[in-house]
Amino acid sequence: MIKVVNLSKKFGKLHVLKGINEEIKKGEVVVVIGPSGSGKSTFLRCLNLLEEPTSGEIIFDGVSITDKKNDINKQREKMGMVFQQFNLFPHLTVLENITIAPIKVKKMKKEEAEKIAMNLLKRIGLEDKANTYPNKLSGGQKQRIAIVRALAMSPEVMLFDEPTSALDPEMVGEVLEVMKDLAKDGMTMVVVTHEMGFAKEVGDRVLFMDGGNIVEQGTPKELFTNPQHPRTQDFLRKILV
Amino acid sequence: MDIFTNFAEFITKYYSYYINGTLTTLQISFFGVIFGSLVGVLLCLLRMSNNKIISSISTAYIEIVRGTPLILQVYVVYYGLPMVLPLPDSRLFLGTLAVLLNSAAYVAEIIRAGIQSIDVGQMEAARSLGMTKGMSMRYIIIPQAFKNILPALGNEFIVLVKESAIISVIAIPDLMYNADTLRGITYKPFMPLIIAGVIYFAITFTLSKVLGMLERRLAASDKGSES
């Protein structure tokens, strides 16, 4: 579904991604782990071109999105993204947050968009918050709504950029639950996270990144119980203690 | 009381100077605010353009306007511009042009600061949902920035009303010019100027109250102030 060919990204002199080759298949849940500064967030943000790659190619649904001839906005409609800092729109209500993109981008009728939004809100148990403004919500609620906002565009793939890192510990669970449900429904997901429990339970494949490369990858079982590369071993030893 | 009879006498004799002067000042301020804002928005867009050349021309313009005295700009526009551009030979037009070209630079900076005060995550979230840059600006960034911009913009309008007095140096009969004329006619140092001061104050104070009301109404309709 997403094919990454020799992806490289430099910020000035800093070489963040050093030629990544990867393919994400339909229905797969790929979890990306690694120490901070390893390039895992940059990798994710390159997938929908929030970061412009310095070189290399990204092919989504057979369309090269790095090719300037192709309209990136059309492709982004099919790629949902969830951010560490939620990035809900503070001047819009929860319902408007969810419906604005379907209405403005997909030209969906307001009633239809609202119906979809209410169904999604019901799914996460927040339908009573539809007319609330984001600043009245807890972090966990905000992030669940951010997920729903992305889902309202019916994306083919969901990208998660450390979705639980800015949350209070007691709110991590509710967000992970929503993500697990999504995975169960067969959503293709790429998740950058520090939640090893989630990686083990939900991930089909785990990528370990370090120094701008994918150092090692495998099923959660292979990677967590029998890491091959010394840097993977070192990283897992530090976090799992 | 002598002072009141003096005042009454003065006003009945010269009131038309004040009425005409006030109308001129209001006219210059009105067009200055409207066209100054429009040119300001344009300058701001140019400055934020991805094209380096366009953006640096706009930046240079803004820096020069902010870095030189308004009185100098008025002279340059009045004496200089008609020699290089086919502009109408009207004092009032050239005076207003000078004031609005000055105000535009400040408005551009106010708008730019307002837009850049919005977290980049807002733009990223909008873009990630498939919105174009223009849509993101229109539906997500500008509505949030507007609230930040309004107080500073109101302040700029008030400054413009006061600073428009400078165009009296090219003999446009605005409130300031007429007050000074009366000072010359009557040899009285205080009364003509103080009356003009009261009128200026009445205009700016009203403007300030109106803008304050607008801000409060905006704040009341916007319950979400942080994400």
Side-chain angles (χ1 to χ4, degrees), chain A residues 45 48 50 73 76-77 79 81 83 87-91 100-101 104-105 133 135 142 149-150 153, chain B residues 119 121-122 124-132 135 139-140 143-144 221-227:
Chain A
R45 289 161 59 83
N48 68 351
L50 277 187
N73 297 312
R76 283 203 185 112
E77 288 178 34
M79 307 169 114
M81 182 149 192
F83 301 85
N87 296 343
L88 291 180
F89 306 131
H91 62 302
I100 188 157
K104 301 298 180 193
V105 178
Y133 283 89
N135 65 340
K142 280 182 200 171
R149 175 177 70 179
M153 291 294 283
Chain B
D119 183 48
Q122 293 288 310
E124 290 185 349
R127 297 303 304 272
S128 81
L129 289 164
M131 290 193 203
T132 61
M135 287 166 108
Y139 299 118
I140 306 302
Q144 293 183 60
S221 70
D222 184 64
K223 286 128 201 145
S225 53
E226 49 170 323
S227 73

Side-chain angles (χ1 to χ4, degrees), chain A residues 26-37:
Chain A
K26 196 169 165 53
E28 206 180 18
V29 177
V30 177
V31 179
V32 187
I33 61 170
S36 45

Side-chain angles (χ1 to χ4, degrees), chain A:
Chain A
M1 177 173 255
I2 306 179
K3 196 170 174 198
V4 179
V5 184
N6 207 10
L7 173 66
S8 170
K9 173 73 185 174
K10 287 180 189 167
F11 290 110
K13 277 189 180 150
L14 198 64
H15 206 163
V16 187
L17 297 176
K18 298 173 183 162
I20 300 219
N21 292 290
E22 186 51 58
E23 188 167 359
I24 288 140
K25 295 189 189 65
K26 196 169 165 53
E28 206 180 18
V29 177
V30 177
V31 179
V32 187
I33 61 170
S36 45
S38 60
K40 54 191 191 308
S41 276
T42 307
F43 169 64
L44 190 79
R45 289 161 59 83
C46 279
L47 293 182
N48 68 351
L49 250 56
L50 277 187
E51 299 291 352
E52 199 155 327
T54 310
S55 64
E57 201 180 3
I58 296 162
I59 299 157
F60 175 59
D61 270 354
V63 179
S64 169
I65 61 171
T66 34
D67 188 339
K68 292 247 190 300
K69 285 201 296 279
N70 295 316
D71 182 8
I72 181 61
N73 297 312
K74 276 277 156 241
Q75 301 306 316
R76 283 203 185 112
E77 288 178 34
K78 296 186 270 180
M79 307 169 114
M81 182 149 192
V82 176
F83 301 85
Q84 184 176 355
Q85 298 296 338
F86 328 128
N87 296 343
L88 291 180
F89 306 131
H91 62 302
L92 302 178
T93 64
V94 166
L95 193 64
E96 289 165 343
N97 261 278
I98 303 170
T99 55
I100 188 157
I103 292 172
K104 301 298 180 193
V105 178
K106 283 192 163 176
K107 311 287 174 210
M108 198 184 273
K109 282 212 181 65
K110 192 164 174 248
E111 298 74 39
E112 195 188 346
E114 286 183 351
K115 213 176 107 195
I116 293 172
M118 286 312 292
N119 279 334
L120 286 164
L121 280 174
K122 235 171 255 169
R123 232 173 98 179
I124 57 167
L126 289 177
E127 67 266 39
D128 57 322
K129 301 286 184 197
N131 296 313
T132 313
Y133 283 89
N135 65 340
K136 298 276 185 285
L137 302 170
S138 74
Q141 291 171 334
K142 280 182 200 171
Q143 194 61 301
R144 281 145 69 200
I145 284 159
I147 294 173
V148 161
R149 175 177 70 179
L151 289 177
M153 291 294 283
S154 333
E156 293 171 20
V157 56
M158 286 284 286
L159 311 174
F160 292 86
D161 188 6
E162 303 199 23
T164 56
S165 299
L167 294 175
D168 290 337
E170 75 268 24
M171 291 172 183
V172 171
E174 62 189 74
V175 172
L176 290 181
E177 275 312 311
V178 175
M179 292 168 63
K180 281 178 201 168
D181 275 352
L182 261 183
K184 246 179 259 165
D185 289 350
M187 175 64 78
T188 311
M189 295 163 69
V190 184
V191 186
V192 172
T193 188
H194 295 293
E195 294 294 328
M196 297 304 149
F198 176 83
K200 276 182 199 168
E201 193 186 331
V202 187
D204 295 312
R205 198 147 56 91
V206 180
L207 311 181
F208 173 70
M209 282 185 72
D210 193 21
N213 290 305
I214 297 176
V215 174
E216 185 173 353
Q217 62 166 293
T219 64
K221 204 176 160 196
E222 287 166 2
L223 199 94
F224 285 117
T225 51
N226 189 18
Q228 300 298 311
H229 200 285
R231 274 190 286 176
T232 321
Q233 292 165 358
D234 184 50
F235 176 73
L236 290 176
R237 197 178 309 125
K238 276 180 193 148
I239 56 159
L240 294 176
V241 179

